[in-house]
Amino acid sequence: MRGTVRDALRRYPSLGHDELTALSSELWARGVEELRLAAVVLLQSRVGELQATDLTRVEGFVRDGERRQLVDLLAVDVVGELMSGLDARSRGRAELVLDRWSREDGTWLRRAALLAPLRELRAGGGDVERVARRIRSAAVAEDDPIVAEALALARAALQVE
C-alpha cells in the first residue's frame, strides 16, 4: 500500500492541500480497509500540507476508524506530526480539539488524543501538563481496554505512575 501511494505521489507531485484532502476523503468513504489505509498513508506522506482545520476531517476518520492500526497511525503520524508543525496560534486551537477528544465518550477519540503527542513527548518535548490533564480526563474510561492501553502508553511517555 505504501509503495502504491508513494508511486502515485511521484506521478502527481503537484497534488496540493485541497486535492490531498479530497482524495483522502474519497478513499476513506469507500469503507474498504485497504483504501482507508491508503488514505492514512497519503496523509502521512504529505502531513506538511495539512492545516489545523484538517483536524475536523481527521476526527471523522478516527470516529469511523474503529481499528487500532488506522486510529494509531492517524493519531501519531498524522495528528502528532501536524501539531508539531503548527505555529503557536494554530497549535493552541488544535490542542483544544485534542483536549475535547480526551473527554469524548468515544473510545477512539480518547485513544487518539492520548497517542497524538507520544512522538513529541518521547523526544523530550510537548506540553507535559496538558497531556497529564488529558490522561486524567480519559482515565474515566480506564475500564475500556483500548483506552487503557493508550493511557499506559501516555503515562509511560510522561513517566507518570
Side-chain angles (χ1 to χ4, degrees):
M1 189 59 62
R2 290 185 188 286
T4 301
V5 171
R6 260 193 314 272
D7 290 346
L9 289 173
R10 275 191 221 120
R11 188 169 182 188
Y12 302 101
S14 63
L15 197 67
H17 171 268
D18 294 346
E19 295 87 4
L20 171 75
T21 55
L23 179 56
S24 67
S25 291
E26 182 65 31
L27 290 167
W28 192 270
R30 301 289 174 132
V32 176
E33 180 84 15
E34 291 80 8
L35 294 178
R36 286 185 169 187
L37 181 57
V40 173
V41 171
L42 182 63
L43 294 175
Q44 286 174 312
S45 299
R46 294 282 180 89
V47 74
E49 297 279 332
L50 300 178
Q51 304 162 3
T53 56
D54 293 319
L55 283 175
T56 302
R57 180 181 318 270
V58 174
E59 180 175 340
F61 292 176
V62 170
R63 284 183 188 277
D64 280 358
E66 297 184 350
R67 305 254 314 152
R68 275 186 178 95
Q69 177 187 14
L70 294 173
V71 171
D72 291 3
L73 290 172
L74 284 166
V76 177
D77 294 344
V78 177
V79 176
E81 290 300 309
L82 168 64
M83 300 283 290
S84 69
L86 295 175
D87 62 49
R89 186 176 194 190
S90 296
R91 175 145 185 163
R93 289 182 185 146
E95 292 285 6
L96 292 173
V97 171
L98 292 184
D99 291 346
R100 179 179 51 78
W101 289 7
S102 72
R103 296 185 305 270
E104 285 277 332
D105 287 335
T107 294
W108 300 106
L109 283 175
R110 280 188 176 149
R111 183 176 179 89
L114 293 166
L115 297 182
L118 287 186
R119 188 172 288 145
E120 197 171 42
L121 290 170
R122 289 174 177 156
D127 186 339
V128 172
E129 292 297 320
R130 179 168 241 137
V131 173
R133 283 194 308 272
R134 284 189 197 135
I135 288 171
R136 288 190 296 275
S137 293
V140 300
E142 197 148 16
D143 59 331
D144 179 332
I146 293 165
V147 174
E149 180 184 39
L151 283 164
L153 291 168
R155 286 176 176 138
L158 286 181
Q159 299 178 1
V160 172
E161 295 302 319

